């Protein structure tokens, strides 16, 4: 029995492992149903044995005129023309004899009129979706649109069908169930989208570049959660790519700082064609859909309920005729007009509150070589925290989007500022070898996203998460908001609400047309009166397959790229489009005349758009039936004559209408990014080729007319035969790219004369002549600190400045507004014009072309700098705090103030995100109190940091006295500390300083470990540890202020965040700081006090004896120096930014810039040394700093920041009221500790909490006065290591 068990157990384990492994492998590699990969539901037609071919026969779609006739029947009216034809009454004949047939004329009422169940206003994605939903439920529905279908927001999207990875991130971090529900709903709708229109939508892999190793698990977890939520609605799982594989998949990526990439899957689609397909599918199912039918008013009955709408035909207006006006009767009216929602609501109720908050989203189109044809990219954290997509679309590359409040207009124009921002972000993640040029932008447009506010919400200013459905008192149902992906869900909910509100009776659709064109599929089968749009396939989907284009090529002789385009735009209706295409009279391709040589759009599409898709204008064809205007505005202009001619044949346009179409279309193309220089071109110009002529700026983009040569003449700025070489270092010997984008390749050197020698004397004379005036500032240093502050306070902030990144020798040209040739193009003027310095600008500006880049720190680097700034001196002073006030009180204070400091640090981060222009406390003061606040806060910050710098010099002298046993005068040690600190502060970016911070952290860890081990060995439990200590008020309060000082890094947080690559990740740095601070403070303070006892030294490194203090101090040298260096850097950066903000001196790497930075550093460190020598007792100096400043910057001001950001919302909710009380308490903590308050404020503070006003300054001053009477006076050579505590 035992032997059988030993035999069976391994077999069972092996079988279980095999099954588990096999199951996992099957799950990973299981066959997936990819939309569009299945064979067509209706197979393509084939040739019979006798050679006959039977093309598909699709159902007829009513013409626009037939649809308008149906609209008129709802109110029981017919035009006079119809009346004349139906009856020959003399009086009617006399009334109509002199009238135009298209005029309004007489209208005859019919008793058998049947109103519509629903009238939908708006032909965008939502309106068309509602029409399709209602029609497939057996309801009688009409849809009217003032312009064309998808003429607004629905054609100007990012072209994605997605759940939203950014919404999922918000849902997780904010624990927001509504965001989670939105993502879950969108993922479900994404699958329906791809199933019902596989020809118009497809799966698209999207890459997330990863710059840091820690981002890999973060994004991996996020994308896997995204896959998990998609469930069966998903397709491929997300996966990780190494750096080499990421570059192979997306060769355009920047290689520097690339760790790898994560790829996840979302959907993409052709938005306007999807919209048109939804509308035409609804028409086939019985809906009445009419474009260019404007609602001019709403009609109500005697009870004030809506019963219809008055409309007019704008096509007749375009034809120069009087527009026909009539009434449409309906039981219910749905407002689905997107950004124009409020205009219809005010037709219903003139006093209605506006609910739309329009937001502009700008997109640009770049050539296809900017991205792989089957891989997109997302930048989840742009420079301002937004998300930007970079996607292949229709053979080109689409990039966007922006998000900014805007005014509502029909065709908004993308601003140059938004376009340049997108290009700047693109440059950030593409290889620097790629020159992203403004001239590469083929088209640019602005879409208006209709964000909505709930009119019934108590807080009417807050925007709803997704979409809004509301019903007015008169019965107007409004459906607004949402996004393209969830259009079907929005339509379903709107129709559900309409059925309930208007008491409608849906039913099965018994006589649905055979949309597939075949008897093989019964499209009416699932239509039972409930919502079935999740399985109603749109026009073109039934016969579509990924191999359909081959059948088209074989039958019609289409060009390969054209056939693929037709099948992906029209599905099985590509048969009809190809049949409508003219023969080319060439051997190949046989059919299909292209309207643009650059794109696969052909003449048959124009005829199909007019006959089957209600196209009424040239813009309809160029922008929304084909996508030429969105892909290339210039190409659309050049194709316009062909489009007008073909539409004139179909619609019988006269010359006047053709001229109007030309003007209207050119004006529309201006909103698509057409150059202003092309807006005045005529048709004759285009047909003669003049419209294709390039201007001076376009000429510089390419080498157009040079003959074949190894090096083209246009690549060199030198005349033929001229020697370009001045020296081996001449710029012409290496590739140069000018500010205008022209390119100069490296030239092969010619030995035509000796090179010019470098002159050291002339170099020094130039540099010293520049620096000499500044060197004078080094002498009266204490007084010049005050002078420097005064200079900062009175500096004119509106001076003209040269843009960052511009070459030194180009400054005069820029300031004069010209280039080297004395002229500038419009784009160059925009990019290089003189700029005005603004206080609300980012202090470092656009760093694309900067020589010195500041915004480069990762979150962990910022965290290490914050730790190095605070933990050094804090950890040295806290063991003595426990000796002063006892173990229990000290631990409670360390924990409690640490928690409060974490919250106040969080508030500072929120303030910085709300006001990105803030770089320091002075900027925060400017926002809250204006210029007065800026100066008060700025002076306080400068004085605080300089005092902290002084404390580090003092610590350095104590360390040297300990190590050398007072080997020389203490003043000498202070000067050495000054020199070392000054040299380490010379780097101008915190990114470089952050590496020193890592060394500082390692140093202090090692030093305190030695101290703790040393005191543990020397004094193993012989000291008495007191839980509480009865202490005098000044000493107890001084100990408390030392804890405050231990968390007093907040004064520099604005500066740290300003130099972070991703300011949104600041919270990670803060948590790293506070976790390290609180944990190490408690461990070191408790252990050291436990063994060192009441006589513990401050700094704590002196608590041991013998060689250990020297060893500990020696190891702590990097900490003592670098913590001071960080504060010195922040102080110097404050001065530098205040002096040179907005000028090129911020970003230049020149001797002049280095000299200015060095002088500021020297001045600050000298003043800090004076302070250190004036107050030579460590604890006294810490207490004074804490009393004067630390409590304000760490606690008090954070409370003020929160109260300022939430002004007017203090009683908005219980949570807000609690936070208000908390921040008031935080403010009072700072107010209580600090002493610089007026007598009247003292009385107020005493009345509130009974504390002595000015206790901080009193305690500190008392201690300093007492210690000044000892031998360790100011500016002496005495040993300060013995009395530092």
């Amino acid at each position: 029995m035992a032997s059988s068990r030993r035999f069976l157990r391994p077999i069972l384990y092996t079988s279980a492992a095999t099954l588990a492994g096999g199951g996992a492998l099957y799950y990973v590699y299981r066959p997936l149903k990819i939309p569009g990969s299945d064979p067509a539901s209706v197979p393509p037609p084939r040739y019979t044995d006798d050679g006959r071919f039977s093309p598909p026969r699709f159902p007829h779609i009513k013409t626009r005129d037939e649809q308008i006739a149906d609209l008129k029947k709802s109110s029981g009216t017919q035009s006079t023309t119809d009346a004349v034809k139906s009856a020959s009454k003399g009086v009617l004949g006399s009334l109509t004899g002199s009238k135009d047939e298209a005029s309004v004329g007489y209208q005859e009422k019919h008793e058998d009129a049947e109103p519509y169940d629903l009238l939908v206003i708006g032909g965008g994605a939502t309106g068309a979706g509602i029409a399709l939903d209602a029609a497939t439920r057996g309801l009688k529905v009409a849809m009217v649109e003032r312009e064309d279908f998808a003429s607004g927001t629905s054609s100007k999207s990012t072209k994605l069908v997605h759940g939203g990875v950014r919404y999922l991130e918000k849902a997780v971090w904010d624990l927001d169930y509504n965001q989670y529900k939105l993502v879950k709903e969108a993922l479900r709708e994404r699958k329906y989208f791809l199933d019902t229109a596989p020809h118009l939508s497809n799966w698209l892999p999207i890459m997330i570049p990863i710059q840091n190793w820690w981002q890999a698990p973060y994004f991996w977890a996020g994308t896997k959660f995204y896959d998990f939520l998609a469930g069966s609605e998903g397709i491929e799982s997300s996966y990780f790519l190494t750096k080499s594989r990421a570059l192979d998949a997306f060769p355009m990526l920047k290689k520097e700082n690339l760790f790898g990439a994560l790829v996840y899957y979302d959907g993409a689609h052709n938005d306007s064609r999807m919209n048109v397909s939804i509308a035409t599918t609804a028409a086939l199912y019985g809906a009445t859909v009419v474009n260019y039918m404007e609602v001019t008013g709403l009609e109500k009955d005697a009870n004030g309920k809506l019963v219809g709408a008055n409309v007019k035909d704008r096509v007749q207006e375009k034809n120069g005729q009087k527009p026909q006006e009539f009434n449409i009767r309906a039981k219910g009216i749905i407002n689905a007009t997107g950004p124009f929602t409020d205009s219809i609501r005010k037709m219903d109720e003139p006093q209605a509150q506006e609910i739309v908050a329009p937001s502009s989203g700008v997109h640009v189109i770049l050539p296809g070589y900017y991205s792989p044809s089957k891989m997109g990219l997302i930048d989840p954290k742009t420079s301002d925290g937004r998300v930007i997509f970079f996607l292949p679309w229709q053979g080109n590359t689409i990039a966007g989007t922006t998000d900014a409040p805007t005014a509502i207009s029909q065709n908004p124009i993308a601003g140059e500022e938004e376009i340049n921002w997108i290009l700047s972000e693109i440059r950030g993640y593409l290889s620097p070898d790629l020159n992203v040029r403004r001239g590469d932008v083929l088209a640019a447009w602005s879409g208006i996203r209709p964000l909505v506010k709930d009119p019934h919400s108590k807080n009417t200013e807050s925007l709803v998460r997704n979409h809004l459905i509301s019903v007015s008192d008169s019965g107007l149902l409004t459906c607004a908001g949402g996004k393209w992906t969830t259009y079907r869900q929005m339509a379903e909910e709107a129709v559900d609400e309409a059925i309930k509100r208007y008491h409608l009776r849906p039913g099965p659709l018994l006589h649905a047309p055979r949309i597939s064109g075949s008897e093989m599929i019964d499209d009416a089968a699932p239509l039972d009166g409930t919502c079935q749009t999740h399985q109603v396939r749109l026009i073109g989907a039934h016969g579509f397959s990924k191999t359909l284009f081959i059948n088209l090529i074989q039958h019609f002789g289409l060009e390969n790229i054209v056939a693929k385009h037709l099948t992906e735009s029209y599905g099985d209706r590509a048969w009809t489009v190809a049949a409508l295409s003219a023969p080319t009279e060439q051997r190949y391709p046989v059919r299909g005349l292209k309207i643009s040589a650059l794109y696969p759009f052909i003449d048959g599409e124009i005829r199909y758009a007019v006959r089957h898709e209600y196209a009424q204008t040239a813009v309809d064809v160029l922008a929304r039936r084909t996508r030429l205007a969105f892909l290339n505005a210039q190409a659309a202009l050049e194709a316009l004559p062909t489009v007008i001619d073909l539409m004139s044949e179909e619609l019988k346009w006269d010359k006047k209408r053709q001229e109007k179409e030309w003007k209207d279309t050119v004006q529309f193309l201006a909103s698509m990014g057409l150059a202003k220089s092309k807006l005045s071109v005529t048709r004759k110009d285009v047909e003669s080729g003049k419209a294709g002529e390039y201007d001076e700026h376009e000429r510089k983009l390419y080498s157009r007319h040079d003959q074949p040569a190894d090096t083209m003449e246009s690549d060199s700025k030198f005349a033929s035969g001229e020697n370009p070489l001045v020296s081996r270092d001449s710029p012409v010997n290496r590739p140069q790219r000018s500010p205008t984008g022209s390119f100069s390749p490296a030239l092969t050197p010619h030995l035509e004369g000796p090179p010019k020698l470098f002159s050291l004397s002339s170099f020094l004379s130039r540099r010293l002549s520049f620096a000499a005036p500044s060197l004078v500032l080094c002498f009266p240093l204490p007084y010049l600190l005050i002078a420097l502050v005064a200079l900062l306070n009175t500096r004119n902030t509106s001076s003209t400045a040269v843009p960052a990144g511009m070459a030194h020798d180009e400054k005069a040209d820029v300031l004069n507004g010209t280039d080297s040739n004395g002229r500038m193009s419009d784009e160059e003027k925009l990019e290089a014009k003189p700029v005005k310095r603004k206080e609300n600008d980012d202090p470092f500006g656009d760093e694309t072309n900067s020589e010195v880049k500041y915004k480069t720190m990762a979150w962990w680097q910022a965290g290490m700098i914050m730790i190095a700034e605070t933990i050094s001196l804090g950890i040295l002073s806290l063991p003595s705090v426990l000796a002063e006030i006892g173990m229990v009180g000290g631990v409670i204070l360390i924990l409690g103030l640490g928690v409060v400091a974490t919250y106040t640090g969080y508030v500072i981060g929120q303030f910085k995100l709300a006001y990105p222009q803030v770089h320091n406390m002075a900027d925060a003061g400017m926002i809250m109190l204006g210029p007065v606040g800026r100066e008060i806060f700025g002076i306080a910050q400068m004085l605080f940091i300089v005092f902290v710098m002084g404390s580090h010099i003092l610590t350095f002298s104590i360390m040297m006295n300990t190590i050398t046993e007072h080997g020389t005068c203490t003043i000498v040690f202070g000067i050495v500390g000054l020199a070392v600190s000054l040299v380490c502060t010379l780097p101008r970016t915190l990114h470089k300083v952050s590496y020193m911070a890592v060394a500082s952290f390692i140093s202090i860890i090692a030093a305190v470990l030695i101290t703790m081990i040393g005191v543990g060995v020397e004094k193993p439990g012989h000291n008495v540890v007191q839980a509480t200590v009865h202490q005098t008020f000044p000493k107890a309060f001084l100990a408390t202020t030392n804890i405050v000082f231990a968390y007093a890094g907040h004064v520099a947080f604005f500066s740290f965040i300003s130099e972070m690559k991703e300011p949104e990740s600041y919270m990670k740095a803060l948590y790293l700081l506070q976790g390290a601070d609180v944990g190490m403070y408690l461990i070191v303070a408790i252990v050291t006090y436990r063994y060192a006892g009441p006589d513990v030294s401050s700094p704590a490194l002196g608590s041991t004896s013998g060689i250990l203090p020297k060893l500990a101090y020696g190891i702590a040298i990097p900490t003592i120096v670098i913590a001071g260096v960080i504060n010195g850097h922040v102080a110097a950066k404050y001065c530098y930014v205040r002096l040179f903000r907005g000028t090129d001196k911020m970003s230049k790497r020149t001797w002049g810039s280095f000299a200015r930075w060095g002088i500021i550093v020297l001045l600050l460190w000298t003043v800090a040394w004076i302070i250190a020598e004036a107050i030579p007792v460590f604890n006294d100096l810490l207490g004074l700093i804490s009393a004067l400043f630390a409590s304000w910057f760490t606690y008090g001001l954070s409370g003020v920041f929160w109260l300022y950001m939430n002004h007017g919302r203090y009683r908005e909710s219980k949570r807000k009221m609690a936070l208000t009380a908390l921040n008031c308490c935080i403010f009072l903590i700072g107010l209580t500790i600090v002493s610089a308050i007026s007598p009247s404020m003292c009385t107020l503070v005493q009345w509130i909490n009974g504390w002595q006003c000015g206790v901080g300054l009193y305690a500190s001053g008392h201690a300093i006065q007492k210690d000044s009477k000892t031998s360790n006076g100011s500016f002496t050579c005495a040993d300060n290591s013995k009395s530092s505590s």
Side-chain angles (χ1 to χ4, degrees), residues 918-974:
V918 173
H919 173 261
N920 46 56
M921 290 292 177
D923 291 341
M926 179 70 182
I927 288 173
M928 295 189 295
L929 301 174
V932 174
R934 177 180 61 187
E935 311 315 337
I936 293 175
F937 283 43
I939 292 172
Q941 179 179 5
M942 278 292 293
L943 292 176
F944 176 42
I945 296 178
V946 172
F947 268 78
V948 173
M949 294 161 63
S951 71
H952 283 276
I953 293 181
L954 175 58
T955 306
F956 187 91
S957 66
I958 294 172
M959 172 201 68
M960 295 302 296
N961 275 321
T962 302
I963 294 174
T964 64
E965 296 182 352
H966 190 46
T968 188
C969 177
T970 299
I971 294 177
V972 174
F973 289 142

Side-chain angles (χ1 to χ4, degrees), residues 1226-1237:
I1226 290 172
F1227 171 77
L1228 289 177
I1229 290 174
L1231 188 65
T1232 301
I1233 298 174
V1234 79
S1235 63
I1237 48 179

Side-chain angles (χ1 to χ4, degrees), residues 41-57:
S41 302
V42 178
R46 299 180 183 276
Y47 288 92
T48 61
D49 294 336
D50 57 359
R52 290 183 299 171
F53 181 81
S54 178
R57 303 294 181 187

